[in-house]
Amino acid sequence: AAPSRDGATRNLKTWLDNSGVGYVDAIGFCGDMGSAYASDAEDFWTWTGSVMDYVDSQIDAGKIGDAVYTLGNHEWFPWAGGDYLHEYANYESAQKLRQIGEGIVTDDYIIYCFGAGSCVSTESRNDYMEEDIAELDAWLATAPTDTPIFILTHFPLHFWYNTRYAPHAVDVIDVLNKYSDDHEIIFFWGHNHSDYDDSYYTPKFPGDEIRVDAEGNMRTLNFTYMGAGCTSDAEYTGPGKGSASIFNKGLIVTINADKTLDFTYYTLEGEAMYVESPWLVRFRAGYGNYDVLASMYVEDGETIEAPEVSELEGYAFAGWYYWN
């Protein structure tokens, strides 16, 4: 069955309530706030608008300072409900999206939107336009060097989901690497389809490598790179999929007084998923949608005891296996 209209909004509300982070100065979204279950543009933009309306209510209540939205790929495709190119002027929620350029600028940080612009001309699912990359290059050449720059995008730069990659990802990496000596750049992506991809839980920091294509080519990053989280509730479940089961529902970045940054993911239940030890370990059973049998924090070098597993008629328990 299709999810309810407020599924993503409900998860966002639950996440904000449970994470216990208090006031959020700015919140950013990396696209695809509508649903693949949308039957037409009206459905898609109504679902997107429900997320925006909730965020607006939290801004009015003083719980969030500001918000910015960039585009995903479903916003573009008529067969995915969005049809942004033809329906942009018809829906207020579509008009709030920013494809490329400065989203929020303060003395403490800049949020830059770098959306799924390639879909305008090619309807490519997985790539960036050369003109957008050139615009990012030109902007970084004159951007302030004394504040962190958070770039919101939709597509990953790494090879993902076992088959997909952005052909121009290496060009984006080259641009970001070029300016990383003078700028602190943090690149967030949001195209969450499956928790089979370790990159959903493994941030990359300067000096780390990512795989960028099907041939296995690797590129070193001079900037910080990580998923932004996933509030999907029922989409892409089943064998080889499972965005609803991605644990890191949202990411909180704290800018400390000395201008260092702390990154903490939170699960829907409010458990912190640190990017360094202690690690959140969950024992789960099922396929597609999972039951969490136990959850605990473990320091580097520690061992833990697995929980008991209930008997299931017709099945024999063969043991646990590791899945990041």
Side-chain angles (χ1 to χ4, degrees):
S4 62
R5 284 182 177 270
D6 64 349
T9 310
R10 182 179 62 250
N11 276 358
L12 176 62
K13 180 179 186 300
T14 300
W15 178 79
L16 283 170
D17 287 346
N18 284 346
S19 59
V21 297
Y23 174 77
V24 176
D25 190 68
I27 187 168
F29 295 84
C30 293
D32 285 8
M33 291 175 294
S35 173
Y37 288 104
S39 58
D40 52 34
E42 182 175 359
D43 241 8
F44 185 92
W45 294 112
T46 298
W47 292 18
T48 299
S50 71
V51 175
M52 295 175 169
D53 288 345
Y54 171 70
V55 172
D56 285 345
S57 73
Q58 298 307 290
I59 292 174
D60 291 342
K63 296 181 179 179
I64 296 174
D66 204 351
V68 62
Y69 311 89
T70 194
L71 291 93
N73 58 329
H74 279 261
E75 278 87 351
W76 292 105
F77 300 140
W79 49 261
D83 202 7
Y84 178 85
L85 187 61
H86 299 101
E87 300 289 349
Y88 170 81
N90 296 336
Y91 299 100
E92 182 180 356
S93 52
Q95 296 167 30
K96 290 183 178 180
L97 300 174
R98 184 168 182 81
Q99 179 179 323
I100 188 166
E102 294 176 348
I104 298 176
V105 178
T106 75
D107 292 337
D108 297 316
Y109 59 88
I110 297 172
I111 299 178
Y112 186 91
C113 295
F114 191 58
S118 62
C119 304
V120 177
S121 57
T122 66
E123 290 202 350
S124 166
R125 295 186 184 184
N126 306 325
D127 208 4
Y128 296 97
M129 289 195 298
E130 291 180 354
E131 50 264 45
D132 284 356
I133 298 172
E135 185 169 338
L136 174 63
D137 191 343
W139 181 80
L140 284 171
T142 61
T145 59
D146 57 349
T147 58
I149 296 171
F150 301 102
I151 298 177
L152 302 184
T153 191
H154 187 66
F155 297 129
L157 298 175
H158 67 273
F159 177 80
W160 78 91
Y161 201 42
N162 300 322
T163 58
R164 298 180 181 178
Y165 65 98
H168 285 102
V170 292
D171 300 318
V172 177
I173 293 170
D174 287 345
V175 167
L176 299 177
N177 279 348
K178 179 170 66 171
Y179 294 103
S180 291
D181 285 343
D182 299 320
H183 299 76
E184 182 164 16
I185 298 173
I186 305 95
F187 191 93
F188 295 131
W189 50 274
H191 191 64
N192 291 284
H193 278 243
S194 169
D195 61 358
Y196 283 67
D197 184 345
D198 287 350
S199 296
Y200 293 134
Y201 302 107
T202 310
K204 301 294 184 181
F205 296 98
D208 290 338
E209 291 185 324
I210 59 172
R211 179 182 174 184
V212 293
D213 58 29
E215 286 71 40
N217 289 307
M218 306 293 291
R219 294 298 292 268
T220 300
L221 308 181
N222 296 337
F223 53 92
T224 300
Y225 173 80
M226 62 183 70
C230 177
T231 60
S232 174
D233 62 341
E235 291 184 320
Y236 309 120
T237 56
K241 301 180 181 179
S243 62
S245 299
I246 294 173
F247 295 151
N248 50 345
K249 291 301 180 186
L251 172 67
I252 294 293
V253 182
T254 303
I255 303 176
N256 300 310
D258 61 359
K259 295 192 175 181
T260 59
L261 304 178
D262 290 331
F263 303 92
T264 306
Y265 291 108
Y266 285 88
T267 68
L268 197 61
E269 297 78 18
E271 295 172 298
M273 301 177 63
Y274 302 106
V275 300
E276 296 178 340
S277 179
W279 310 111
L280 175 63
V281 177
R282 282 180 156 186
F283 291 87
R284 60 184 186 175
Y287 199 67
N289 290 317
Y290 301 92
D291 293 325
V292 177
L293 305 182
S295 180
M296 61 197 76
Y297 289 100
V298 182
E299 298 284 352
D300 280 339
E302 289 185 350
T303 59
I304 54 177
E305 185 174 341
E308 293 185 4
V309 179
S310 300
E311 292 184 2
L312 183 61
E313 185 176 354
Y315 293 86
F317 178 68
W320 298 101
Y321 66 95
Y322 173 77
W323 188 0
N324 189 1

PDB file of all heavy atoms in Angstrom, residues 79-96:
ATOM      1  N   TRP A  79       7.206  10.859 -14.730  1.00  0.00           N
ATOM      2  CA  TRP A  79       6.833   9.509 -14.317  1.00  0.00           C
ATOM      3  C   TRP A  79       7.089   9.270 -12.834  1.00  0.00           C
ATOM      4  O   TRP A  79       6.655   8.259 -12.284  1.00  0.00           O
ATOM      5  CB  TRP A  79       7.570   8.455 -15.148  1.00  0.00           C
ATOM      6  CG  TRP A  79       9.050   8.644 -15.292  1.00  0.00           C
ATOM      7  CD1 TRP A  79       9.701   9.189 -16.357  1.00  0.00           C
ATOM      8  CD2 TRP A  79      10.058   8.298 -14.356  1.00  0.00           C
ATOM      9  NE1 TRP A  79      11.050   9.201 -16.148  1.00  0.00           N
ATOM     10  CE2 TRP A  79      11.302   8.659 -14.938  1.00  0.00           C
ATOM     11  CE3 TRP A  79      10.047   7.714 -13.096  1.00  0.00           C
ATOM     12  CZ2 TRP A  79      12.510   8.455 -14.278  1.00  0.00           C
ATOM     13  CZ3 TRP A  79      11.260   7.521 -12.452  1.00  0.00           C
ATOM     14  CH2 TRP A  79      12.465   7.888 -13.037  1.00  0.00           C
ATOM     15  N   ALA A  80       7.785  10.201 -12.178  1.00  0.00           N
ATOM     16  CA  ALA A  80       7.991  10.104 -10.731  1.00  0.00           C
ATOM     17  C   ALA A  80       7.121  11.094  -9.979  1.00  0.00           C
ATOM     18  O   ALA A  80       7.241  11.231  -8.770  1.00  0.00           O
ATOM     19  CB  ALA A  80       9.452  10.344 -10.385  1.00  0.00           C
ATOM     20  N   GLY A  81       6.261  11.802 -10.685  1.00  0.00           N
ATOM     21  CA  GLY A  81       5.298  12.667 -10.021  1.00  0.00           C
ATOM     22  C   GLY A  81       5.633  14.136 -10.009  1.00  0.00           C
ATOM     23  O   GLY A  81       4.741  14.976  -9.940  1.00  0.00           O
ATOM     24  N   GLY A  82       6.925  14.506 -10.076  1.00  0.00           N
ATOM     25  CA  GLY A  82       7.286  15.902  -9.862  1.00  0.00           C
ATOM     26  C   GLY A  82       7.030  16.807 -11.053  1.00  0.00           C
ATOM     27  O   GLY A  82       6.310  17.785 -10.967  1.00  0.00           O
ATOM     28  N   ASP A  83       7.640  16.503 -12.198  1.00  0.00           N
ATOM     29  CA  ASP A  83       7.478  17.301 -13.424  1.00  0.00           C
ATOM     30  C   ASP A  83       7.778  18.768 -13.176  1.00  0.00           C
ATOM     31  O   ASP A  83       7.049  19.657 -13.579  1.00  0.00           O
ATOM     32  CB  ASP A  83       6.063  17.127 -13.978  1.00  0.00           C
ATOM     33  CG  ASP A  83       5.996  17.461 -15.464  1.00  0.00           C
ATOM     34  OD1 ASP A  83       7.056  17.683 -16.077  1.00  0.00           O
ATOM     35  OD2 ASP A  83       4.886  17.525 -16.000  1.00  0.00           O
ATOM     36  N   TYR A  84       8.919  19.032 -12.513  1.00  0.00           N
ATOM     37  CA  TYR A  84       9.286  20.385 -12.108  1.00  0.00           C
ATOM     38  C   TYR A  84       9.386  21.336 -13.288  1.00  0.00           C
ATOM     39  O   TYR A  84       8.974  22.491 -13.212  1.00  0.00           O
ATOM     40  CB  TYR A  84      10.631  20.322 -11.367  1.00  0.00           C
ATOM     41  CG  TYR A  84      11.181  21.655 -10.912  1.00  0.00           C
ATOM     42  CD1 TYR A  84      10.783  22.208  -9.706  1.00  0.00           C
ATOM     43  CD2 TYR A  84      12.105  22.352 -11.681  1.00  0.00           C
ATOM     44  CE1 TYR A  84      11.290  23.417  -9.267  1.00  0.00           C
ATOM     45  CE2 TYR A  84      12.632  23.555 -11.258  1.00  0.00           C
ATOM     46  CZ  TYR A  84      12.217  24.087 -10.053  1.00  0.00           C
ATOM     47  OH  TYR A  84      12.722  25.276  -9.638  1.00  0.00           O
ATOM     48  N   LEU A  85       9.926  20.853 -14.390  1.00  0.00           N
ATOM     49  CA  LEU A  85      10.171  21.720 -15.541  1.00  0.00           C
ATOM     50  C   LEU A  85       8.889  22.361 -16.044  1.00  0.00           C
ATOM     51  O   LEU A  85       8.871  23.528 -16.431  1.00  0.00           O
ATOM     52  CB  LEU A  85      10.842  20.917 -16.659  1.00  0.00           C
ATOM     53  CG  LEU A  85      11.327  21.714 -17.873  1.00  0.00           C
ATOM     54  CD1 LEU A  85      12.382  22.743 -17.445  1.00  0.00           C
ATOM     55  CD2 LEU A  85      11.926  20.777 -18.920  1.00  0.00           C
ATOM     56  N   HIS A  86       7.798  21.601 -16.026  1.00  0.00           N
ATOM     57  CA  HIS A  86       6.530  22.110 -16.561  1.00  0.00           C
ATOM     58  C   HIS A  86       5.577  22.607 -15.481  1.00  0.00           C
ATOM     59  O   HIS A  86       4.642  23.357 -15.782  1.00  0.00           O
ATOM     60  CB  HIS A  86       5.844  21.014 -17.380  1.00  0.00           C
ATOM     61  CG  HIS A  86       6.644  20.549 -18.550  1.00  0.00           C
ATOM     62  ND1 HIS A  86       7.370  19.376 -18.530  1.00  0.00           N
ATOM     63  CD2 HIS A  86       6.870  21.111 -19.758  1.00  0.00           C
ATOM     64  CE1 HIS A  86       7.986  19.220 -19.684  1.00  0.00           C
ATOM     65  NE2 HIS A  86       7.713  20.256 -20.450  1.00  0.00           N
ATOM     66  N   GLU A  87       5.790  22.176 -14.230  1.00  0.00           N
ATOM     67  CA  GLU A  87       4.830  22.501 -13.170  1.00  0.00           C
ATOM     68  C   GLU A  87       5.381  23.488 -12.146  1.00  0.00           C
ATOM     69  O   GLU A  87       4.718  23.784 -11.162  1.00  0.00           O
ATOM     70  CB  GLU A  87       4.416  21.203 -12.439  1.00  0.00           C
ATOM     71  CG  GLU A  87       3.770  20.157 -13.328  1.00  0.00           C
ATOM     72  CD  GLU A  87       2.373  20.563 -13.761  1.00  0.00           C
ATOM     73  OE1 GLU A  87       1.836  21.550 -13.213  1.00  0.00           O
ATOM     74  OE2 GLU A  87       1.818  19.891 -14.646  1.00  0.00           O
ATOM     75  N   TYR A  88       6.572  24.014 -12.383  1.00  0.00           N
ATOM     76  CA  TYR A  88       7.232  24.884 -11.412  1.00  0.00           C
ATOM     77  C   TYR A  88       6.329  26.035 -10.965  1.00  0.00           C
ATOM     78  O   TYR A  88       6.212  26.320  -9.776  1.00  0.00           O
ATOM     79  CB  TYR A  88       8.534  25.426 -12.009  1.00  0.00           C
ATOM     80  CG  TYR A  88       9.186  26.523 -11.198  1.00  0.00           C
ATOM     81  CD1 TYR A  88       9.972  26.221 -10.093  1.00  0.00           C
ATOM     82  CD2 TYR A  88       9.014  27.860 -11.535  1.00  0.00           C
ATOM     83  CE1 TYR A  88      10.570  27.211  -9.347  1.00  0.00           C
ATOM     84  CE2 TYR A  88       9.608  28.862 -10.789  1.00  0.00           C
ATOM     85  CZ  TYR A  88      10.380  28.532  -9.686  1.00  0.00           C
ATOM     86  OH  TYR A  88      10.963  29.527  -8.953  1.00  0.00           O
ATOM     87  N   ALA A  89       5.706  26.701 -11.907  1.00  0.00           N
ATOM     88  CA  ALA A  89       4.935  27.901 -11.588  1.00  0.00           C
ATOM     89  C   ALA A  89       3.617  27.584 -10.900  1.00  0.00           C
ATOM     90  O   ALA A  89       2.965  28.483 -10.351  1.00  0.00           O
ATOM     91  CB  ALA A  89       4.674  28.705 -12.863  1.00  0.00           C
ATOM     92  N   ASN A  90       3.198  26.326 -10.890  1.00  0.00           N
ATOM     93  CA  ASN A  90       1.873  25.975 -10.401  1.00  0.00           C
ATOM     94  C   ASN A  90       1.818  25.673  -8.912  1.00  0.00           C
ATOM     95  O   ASN A  90       0.734  25.665  -8.331  1.00  0.00           O
ATOM     96  CB  ASN A  90       1.343  24.760 -11.172  1.00  0.00           C
ATOM     97  CG  ASN A  90       1.143  25.051 -12.648  1.00  0.00           C
ATOM     98  OD1 ASN A  90       0.957  26.197 -13.036  1.00  0.00           O
ATOM     99  ND2 ASN A  90       1.193  24.015 -13.463  1.00  0.00           N
ATOM    100  N   TYR A  91       2.980  25.404  -8.299  1.00  0.00           N
ATOM    101  CA  TYR A  91       2.963  24.946  -6.919  1.00  0.00           C
ATOM    102  C   TYR A  91       3.954  25.735  -6.079  1.00  0.00           C
ATOM    103  O   TYR A  91       5.125  25.876  -6.439  1.00  0.00           O
ATOM    104  CB  TYR A  91       3.295  23.447  -6.853  1.00  0.00           C
ATOM    105  CG  TYR A  91       2.291  22.611  -7.597  1.00  0.00           C
ATOM    106  CD1 TYR A  91       2.561  22.151  -8.879  1.00  0.00           C
ATOM    107  CD2 TYR A  91       1.046  22.314  -7.040  1.00  0.00           C
ATOM    108  CE1 TYR A  91       1.632  21.405  -9.588  1.00  0.00           C
ATOM    109  CE2 TYR A  91       0.114  21.574  -7.738  1.00  0.00           C
ATOM    110  CZ  TYR A  91       0.411  21.122  -9.009  1.00  0.00           C
ATOM    111  OH  TYR A  91      -0.523  20.403  -9.699  1.00  0.00           O
ATOM    112  N   GLU A  92       3.471  26.223  -4.939  1.00  0.00           N
ATOM    113  CA  GLU A  92       4.305  27.025  -4.054  1.00  0.00           C
ATOM    114  C   GLU A  92       5.499  26.230  -3.549  1.00  0.00           C
ATOM    115  O   GLU A  92       6.610  26.762  -3.424  1.00  0.00           O
ATOM    116  CB  GLU A  92       3.477  27.513  -2.868  1.00  0.00           C
ATOM    117  CG  GLU A  92       4.240  28.413  -1.902  1.00  0.00           C
ATOM    118  CD  GLU A  92       3.388  28.874  -0.748  1.00  0.00           C
ATOM    119  OE1 GLU A  92       2.182  28.560  -0.732  1.00  0.00           O
ATOM    120  OE2 GLU A  92       3.937  29.540   0.150  1.00  0.00           O
ATOM    121  N   SER A  93       5.295  24.946  -3.279  1.00  0.00           N
ATOM    122  CA  SER A  93       6.400  24.132  -2.779  1.00  0.00           C
ATOM    123  C   SER A  93       7.501  23.987  -3.819  1.00  0.00           C
ATOM    124  O   SER A  93       8.688  23.965  -3.482  1.00  0.00           O
ATOM    125  CB  SER A  93       5.896  22.752  -2.344  1.00  0.00           C
ATOM    126  OG  SER A  93       5.135  22.136  -3.360  1.00  0.00           O
ATOM    127  N   ALA A  94       7.132  23.911  -5.102  1.00  0.00           N
ATOM    128  CA  ALA A  94       8.150  23.830  -6.157  1.00  0.00           C
ATOM    129  C   ALA A  94       8.949  25.120  -6.238  1.00  0.00           C
ATOM    130  O   ALA A  94      10.163  25.101  -6.495  1.00  0.00           O
ATOM    131  CB  ALA A  94       7.491  23.544  -7.505  1.00  0.00           C
ATOM    132  N   GLN A  95       8.304  26.236  -5.990  1.00  0.00           N
ATOM    133  CA  GLN A  95       8.967  27.532  -6.089  1.00  0.00           C
ATOM    134  C   GLN A  95       9.968  27.750  -4.958  1.00  0.00           C
ATOM    135  O   GLN A  95      10.855  28.603  -5.065  1.00  0.00           O
ATOM    136  CB  GLN A  95       7.922  28.638  -6.092  1.00  0.00           C
ATOM    137  CG  GLN A  95       6.986  28.598  -7.303  1.00  0.00           C
ATOM    138  CD  GLN A  95       5.772  29.494  -7.129  1.00  0.00           C
ATOM    139  OE1 GLN A  95       5.838  30.501  -6.446  1.00  0.00           O
ATOM    140  NE2 GLN A  95       4.658  29.109  -7.734  1.00  0.00           N
ATOM    141  N   LYS A  96       9.853  27.000  -3.877  1.00  0.00           N
ATOM    142  CA  LYS A  96      10.762  27.171  -2.736  1.00  0.00           C
ATOM    143  C   LYS A  96      12.091  26.443  -2.932  1.00  0.00           C
ATOM    144  O   LYS A  96      13.020  26.634  -2.139  1.00  0.00           O
ATOM    145  CB  LYS A  96      10.099  26.660  -1.453  1.00  0.00           C
ATOM    146  CG  LYS A  96       8.950  27.531  -0.961  1.00  0.00           C
ATOM    147  CD  LYS A  96       8.408  26.994   0.347  1.00  0.00           C
ATOM    148  CE  LYS A  96       7.286  27.858   0.891  1.00  0.00           C
ATOM    149  NZ  LYS A  96       6.757  27.333   2.176  1.00  0.00           N
TER     150      LYS A  96
END
